[in-house]
C-alpha cells in the first residue's frame, strides 16, 4: 500500500516535470474600446462632445448615452483580473478594438499613446504572463512602434510577421499547443481590398496560415485560432447590413475560404477565439453535416455596441495546457445599471454548468444549438439570450422567428447558408439532417443484404 502510493507519487512527480501543469487558465479580453475623452465616474452613461447615434432609445429608460470604456472601467477590469489571478494562468488573449471608434479621427500620435496606456496597464496586471494581442478594425495598423510596445510579449519570429502583416504564431516549448493570431483586418471587406498592397498582405496571410497548419499537423500539435473578427454572421435579427457592426467583417470570399480552411484542418484546431460582435455567443462549423469545429465569441469590455448596450465582460478559460483542450470557462460581468461609482465584478456563469454540458466539443455545442432552438423548452434560449449582452436587459423580446435567426447565426457560418436558413426555417431543418450519405449507404447495404 505504502509502496504503491509512493510509486504513484514518484510517477506523478516525473510526469509533472515532463509535461508541465496540466490544468491551466487563460483570460480572453476583447473590445476594450478605450475612450480617453470619457471622464464620467459612471460606466452607464456619459456626456461628452462626441455625437453618438446609439443612445438607448429603445425603452427610453436611459437618459444618458452609453459611451465606450472610460479609463476607470479599464482600471477596474485590470484590478479584478489581478485579484482573481489563478496560480496557473498561462497567457492572455487580447482580441483587439483597443480604442473607441470616437477616436477614429484622432491623430496617430494620440491613438498610439492610448494604446500605450492600455498596454502598460495590462503589463502591470500580467507581470509574469504573456499577452497575445490581435488587431481589430479600430486599432492602429501594424508598425515599428506597435512592435516596440509589444515586444515584451512576442518572440522575435512573431514580431517579424507582426510588423509586416499583423499576424503571428506562438509555439510553446512546454506544450503541444500553438497559438495562431490572425489579422482579420486583412480579410475584411471594404476599401482596403482595392489597395494592392493590402491585397498582397491578405494573400500572404492565407499562405502563411496554411503553412502553419500543415506544420502543426506534421508535428502532431494542436492550434488555437485567435482573431478580432471570425467567420459567420451577425446574430441580431435586424442587423441585415454588414455595416451595422461598423466594418471589420470578413469579406464573403474570405469567410468562405476560412471556413474551408477550418474544415480542412479541423483535426488540429483545438478552438477558435474571437471578439468583434460585442456579444457572448458561439459558432459551429460543419463538414458534410457533421459538427467539426467551434468558435467562442467573448463579450466586450465596453458597454457600447453597434445599436446595443451590454454589461462589460471578462472571460477566464480553463483548459488542458498540454493539448489545448478547453474544459470550461467562467464568464464575469459588471452590472452597469447597479453601479454607482463603485465596481463589483461578479461571476455571470460557468459554461458547462450553465448549459449542462458534459464537455466542450463541436458535437456538444451542436446539441446545445438544438436545445436553444427548441420551441418546447424556452429555458435554454432564455439563458442564451440573457448571456448575449452579459445580462444587460435589452433585446429581451424574441419571438420564434427571432429565435430561429439566432439559431441560424450559431449554426450557419457561411453567409449564403445563413441567409437561406433565415429565409426558410423548414429547409434549415432538412439540410441539417446530419448524414445524408451514410443513410443512403446504410439503405444500400440493407438492400444488398436482403437480395443475397
Ligand atoms: C496616458 O497616460 C498618461 C499618464 O497617466 C496621461 O497623462 C495621458 O493623458 C494618457 N493618454 C491617453 C490618451 O490615455
Ligand atoms: C464557477 O466556477 C468557479 C471556478 O471553478 C467557481 O469558483 C464558482 O463557484 C463557479 N460559479 C458558479 C456560479 O457556478
Ligand atoms: Zn469592437
Amino acid at each position: 500500500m505504502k509502496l504503491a502510493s509512493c510509486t504513484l507519487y514518484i510517477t506523478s512527480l516525473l510526469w509533472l516535470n515532463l509535461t508541465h501543469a496540466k490544468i491551466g487558465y487563460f483570460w480572453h479580453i476583447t473590445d476594450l474600446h478605450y475612450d480617453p475623452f470619457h471622464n464620467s465616474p459612471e460606466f452607464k452613461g456619459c456626456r461628452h462632445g462626441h455625437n453618438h447615434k446609439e443612445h438607448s432609445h429603445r425603452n427610453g429608460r436611459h437618459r444618458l448615452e452609453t459611451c465606450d470604456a472610460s479609463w476607470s472601467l479599464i482600471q477596474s477590469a485590470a484590478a479584478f483580473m489581478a485579484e482573481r489571478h489563478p496560480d496557473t494562468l498561462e497567457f492572455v488573449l487580447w482580441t483587439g478594438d483597443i480604442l473607441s471608434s470616437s477616436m477614429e479621427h484622432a491623430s496617430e500620435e494620440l491613438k498610439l499613446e492610448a494604446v500605450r496606456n492600455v498596454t502598460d496597464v495590462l503589463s502591470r496586471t500580467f507581470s509574469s504572463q504573456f499577452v497575445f494581442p490581435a488587431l481589430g478594425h479600430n486599432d492602429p495598423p501594424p508598425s515599428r512602434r506597435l512592435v516596440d510596445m509589444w515586444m515584451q510579449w512576442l518572440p522575435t519570429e512573431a514580431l517579424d510577421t507582426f510588423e509586416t502583416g499583423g499576424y503571428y504564431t506562438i509555439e510553446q516549448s512546454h506544450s503541444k499547443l500553438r497559438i495562431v493570431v490572425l489579422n482579420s483586418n486583412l480579410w475584411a471587406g471594404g476599401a482596403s481590398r482595392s489597395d494592392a498592397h493590402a491585397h498582397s498582405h491578405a494573400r500572404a496571410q492565407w499562405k502563411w496560415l496554411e503553412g502553419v497548419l500543415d506544420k502543426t499537423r506534421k508535428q502532431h500539435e494542436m492550434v488555437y485560432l485567435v482573431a478580432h473578427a471570425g467567420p459567420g454572421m451577425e446574430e441580431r435579427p435586424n442587423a441585415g447590413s454588414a455595416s451595422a457592426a461598423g466594418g471589420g467583417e470578413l469579406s464573403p470570399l474570405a469567410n468562405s475560404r476560412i471556413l474551408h480552411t477550418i474544415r480542412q484542418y479541423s483535426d488540429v484546431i483545438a478552438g477558435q477565439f474571437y471578439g468583434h460582435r460585442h456579444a457572448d455567443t458561439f459558432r459551429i462549423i460543419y463538414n458534410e453535416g457533421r459538427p467539426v469545429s467551434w468558435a467562442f465569441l467573448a463579450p466586450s469590455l465596453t458597454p457600447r455596441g453597434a445599436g446595443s448596450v451590454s454589461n462589460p465582460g471578462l472571460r477566464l478559460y480553463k483548459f488542458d495546457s498540454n493539448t489545448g483542450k478547453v474544459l470550461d470557462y467562467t464568464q464575469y460581468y459588471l452590472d452597469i445599471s447597479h453601479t454607482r461609482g463603485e465596481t463589483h465584478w461578479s461571476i455571470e456563469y460557468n459554461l458547462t454548468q450553465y448549459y449542462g454540458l458534459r464537455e466542450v466539443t463541436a458535437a456538444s455545442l451542436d446539441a446545445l444549438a438544438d436545445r436553444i432552438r427548441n420551441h418546447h423548452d424556452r429555458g435554454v434560449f432564455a439563458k442564451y439570450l440573457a448571456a448575449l449582452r452579459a445580462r444587460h436587459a435589452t433585446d429581451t423580446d424574441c419571438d420564434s422567428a427571432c429565435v430561429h435567426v439566432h439559431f441560424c447565426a450559431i449554426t450557419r457560418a457561411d453567409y449564403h447558408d445563413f441567409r437561406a436558413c433565415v429565409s426558410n426555417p423548414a429547409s434549415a431543418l432538412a439540410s441539417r439532417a446530419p448524414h445524408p450519405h451514410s443513410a443512403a449507404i446504410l439503405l444500400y447495404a440493407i438492400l444488398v443484404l436482403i437480395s443475397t
Side-chain angles (χ1 to χ4, degrees):
M1 191 58 198
K2 242 190 160 147
L3 186 67
S5 63
C6 180
T7 319
L8 192 68
Y9 179 68
I10 289 169
T11 12
S12 57
L13 269 187
L14 278 174
W15 184 84
L16 276 177
N17 215 7
L18 286 173
T19 59
H20 198 256
K22 206 167 184 294
I23 301 288
Y25 294 85
F26 64 90
W27 287 103
H28 181 189
I29 56 176
T30 194
D31 297 87
L32 274 58
H33 288 284
Y34 167 44
D35 182 351
F37 306 114
H38 167 13
N39 298 313
S40 163
E42 293 240 358
F43 301 138
K44 183 168 54 182
C46 69
R47 291 175 229 264
H48 65 39
H50 295 263
N51 183 27
H52 297 298
K53 280 190 227 87
E54 294 102 16
H55 350 188
S56 311
H57 42 69
R58 216 172 284 234
N59 45 24
R61 273 188 294 135
H62 305 283
R63 287 282 156 255
L64 297 171
E65 302 174 13
T66 298
C67 286
D68 273 327
S70 62
W71 186 243
S72 61
L73 175 56
I74 288 173
Q75 281 180 309
S76 128
F80 174 73
M81 289 189 287
E83 172 204 316
R84 177 60 192 80
H85 210 83
D87 293 339
T88 48
L89 185 71
E90 305 264 335
F91 52 81
V92 179
L93 302 179
W94 179 25
T95 52
D97 274 9
I98 302 162
L99 304 179
S100 168
S101 51
S102 68
M103 287 194 80
E104 198 175 4
H105 303 295
S107 70
E108 211 56 19
E109 206 55 41
L110 187 62
K111 286 183 184 176
L112 284 166
E113 182 185 311
V115 171
R116 151 76 64 200
N117 283 3
V118 177
T119 298
D120 286 349
V121 165
L122 293 180
S123 64
R124 281 196 300 272
T125 306
F126 305 110
S127 54
S128 52
Q129 283 82 27
F130 292 98
V131 176
F132 301 130
L135 293 172
H137 53 104
N138 282 322
D139 299 322
S143 66
R144 187 67 231 170
R145 292 178 66 188
L146 272 186
V147 164
D148 289 343
M149 263 185 237
W150 293 343
M151 63 192 302
Q152 51 177 327
W153 295 322
L154 305 182
T156 319
E157 316 85 76
L159 290 171
D160 287 346
T161 54
F162 179 81
E163 187 172 355
T164 52
Y167 51 86
Y168 57 90
T169 179
I170 302 287
E171 206 172 352
Q172 304 185 95
S173 56
H174 64 269
S175 91
K176 292 223 157 268
L177 176 65
R178 177 194 279 278
I179 294 164
V180 171
V181 176
L182 298 166
N183 179 3
S184 60
N185 300 327
L186 294 178
W187 295 339
S192 65
R193 285 198 63 84
S194 55
D195 178 343
H197 183 66
H199 197 73
S200 80
H201 280 306
R203 269 212 319 267
Q205 184 173 233
W206 286 118
K207 201 159 166 267
W208 172 85
L209 173 62
E210 282 155 13
V212 169
L213 290 170
D214 264 337
K215 192 172 165 201
T216 303
R217 183 180 276 156
K218 286 204 188 85
Q219 297 182 346
H220 305 286
E221 295 172 343
M222 297 298 281
V223 295
Y224 281 174
L225 295 186
V226 179
H228 178 64
M233 289 291 271
E234 174 64 56
E235 71 293 325
R236 256 174 310 130
N238 50 2
S241 65
S243 62
E249 300 291 304
L250 299 187
S251 73
L253 217 60
N255 192 65
S256 305
R257 185 157 176 187
I258 191 72
L259 290 174
H260 176 77
T261 307
I262 291 164
R263 288 186 190 107
Q264 205 180 345
Y265 291 97
S266 61
D267 57 319
V268 298
I269 299 172
Q272 301 170 59
F273 305 89
Y274 307 118
H276 177 57
R277 298 210 179 279
H278 300 205
D280 176 342
T281 182
F282 60 102
R283 301 286 179 260
I284 303 161
I285 287 101
Y286 298 84
N287 195 2
E288 294 178 356
R290 229 166 23 86
V292 293
S293 191
W294 55 255
F296 280 122
L297 284 67
S300 58
L301 181 69
T302 182
R304 182 167 172 260
S308 66
V309 181
S310 67
N311 283 316
L314 294 168
R315 181 174 289 186
L316 184 65
Y317 277 92
K318 178 182 179 183
F319 75 127
D320 178 333
S321 57
N322 287 327
T323 61
K325 185 174 170 44
V326 165
L327 304 171
D328 208 351
Y329 67 68
T330 303
Q331 181 62 49
Y332 297 94
Y333 79 117
L334 183 69
D335 187 344
I336 48 169
S337 48
H338 292 115
T339 301
R340 309 245 179 280
E342 88 279 22
T343 61
H344 185 68
W345 287 87
S346 354
I347 291 183
E348 185 189 346
Y349 69 93
N350 290 335
L351 174 71
T352 55
Q353 186 190 41
Y354 191 59
Y355 289 121
L357 304 180
R358 225 171 296 145
E359 52 173 8
V360 183
T361 59
S364 71
L365 292 169
D366 173 57
L368 174 60
D370 273 338
R371 287 163 58 216
I372 284 172
R373 184 191 46 185
N374 191 336
H375 296 280
H376 307 295
D377 178 10
R378 289 298 289 267
V380 180
F381 180 74
K383 284 186 168 190
Y384 173 77
L385 197 62
L388 191 68
R389 308 282 172 216
R391 289 204 197 160
H392 195 275
T394 50
D395 307 331
T396 40
D397 43 338
C398 191
D399 60 13
S400 62
C402 159
V403 173
H404 181 72
V405 174
H406 281 283
F407 171 76
C408 294
I410 293 168
T411 59
R412 299 296 194 285
D414 181 273
Y415 293 168
H416 183 264
D417 291 352
F418 172 79
R419 280 188 287 268
C421 175
V422 168
S423 63
N424 191 350
S427 82
L429 299 185
S431 75
R432 242 172 110 262
H435 304 293
H437 301 298
S438 46
I441 291 165
L442 187 66
L443 185 64
Y444 178 75
I446 292 169
L447 287 176
V448 168
L449 274 176
I450 290 170
S451 64
T452 49

